[in-house]
Amino acid sequence: MRSDELRALQAPLKARYGESPEAALVTLKAEGQLGENLACAVDTGRALVEAGLHPATGGSGAQACSGDMLLQALAACAGVTLQAVATAFGVEVRSGKVIAEGDLDFRGTLGLAKDCPVGFREIRMRFELDADADAETLDKVIAVTERYCVVLQTLRSSPPVIVSRARPDIG
């Protein structure tokens, strides 16, 4: 896609959201169906992914790990965002990779050490790009990608997460 095509595609959306900010608020939803053997199936809209325990917590490795899925979501979002930003800057990205990796201490998840956090201690993301731009331009593309990557900004800002349980009607 060329930058003029991207601008043409997004122009009516930007105009609509500028006039009606409430139109820009969209609720995304993910649903998991609990399954056998400590699994949870998630319908991505494209395929059904069954998540299970990571091998470091006793899983077989036959199912997707939710931590891996989080990193995959980050890499996918950053990759799409980077391509859109590069297109807007007129930079041709011939090929590239987005590598997201994170460190977990599974003692936290297994409840073995109260001082050990549950979750990633650190997440790192790296871009390997073959593009028709100099280092300064690529650094700017990556900086703008960081600014507009939804998953990255969500991880950095830690929005409130409200947890509840559905209760059957009592009648």
Side-chain angles (χ1 to χ4, degrees):
M1 180 177 290
R2 295 187 329 264
S3 61
D4 59 328
E5 293 172 324
L6 179 60
R7 278 193 297 276
L9 181 69
Q10 292 180 339
L13 296 169
K14 288 181 176 185
R16 180 173 163 221
Y17 300 158
E19 293 169 12
S20 303
E22 67 280 359
L25 182 60
V26 177
T27 300
L28 304 180
K29 180 180 176 183
E31 188 172 309
Q33 180 66 43
L34 302 182
E36 296 180 23
N37 299 319
L38 304 176
C40 182
V42 179
D43 186 352
T44 67
R46 304 289 183 269
L48 189 65
V49 176
E50 186 176 67
L53 292 174
H54 188 279
T57 62
S60 68
Q63 297 154 318
C65 164
S66 300
D68 288 332
M69 293 168 69
L70 176 70
L71 295 174
Q72 290 161 359
L74 175 59
C77 186
V80 169
T81 304
L82 178 121
Q83 290 184 80
V85 170
T87 298
F89 278 44
V91 173
E92 180 188 348
V93 178
R94 291 180 285 272
S95 66
K97 284 184 185 178
V98 181
I99 297 100
E101 57 187 15
D103 303 320
L104 284 164
D105 184 335
F106 283 99
R107 293 176 302 157
T109 298
L110 293 171
L112 294 175
K114 292 192 187 303
D115 63 333
C116 186
V118 176
F120 286 100
R121 287 183 170 188
E122 180 180 84
I123 295 174
R124 295 169 300 283
M125 186 167 59
R126 183 176 74 251
F127 296 93
E128 296 177 359
L129 303 172
D130 176 20
D132 69 348
D134 59 28
E136 184 179 335
T137 302
L138 289 177
D139 288 345
K140 178 72 172 162
V141 167
I142 290 170
V144 175
T145 297
E146 282 186 75
R147 169 72 178 91
Y148 292 106
C149 176
V150 171
V151 175
L152 176 60
Q153 289 302 319
T154 300
L155 289 170
R156 283 185 171 164
S157 68
S158 297
V161 176
I162 300 154
V163 178
S164 64
R165 178 181 64 84
R167 291 170 171 70
D169 291 339
I170 299 174

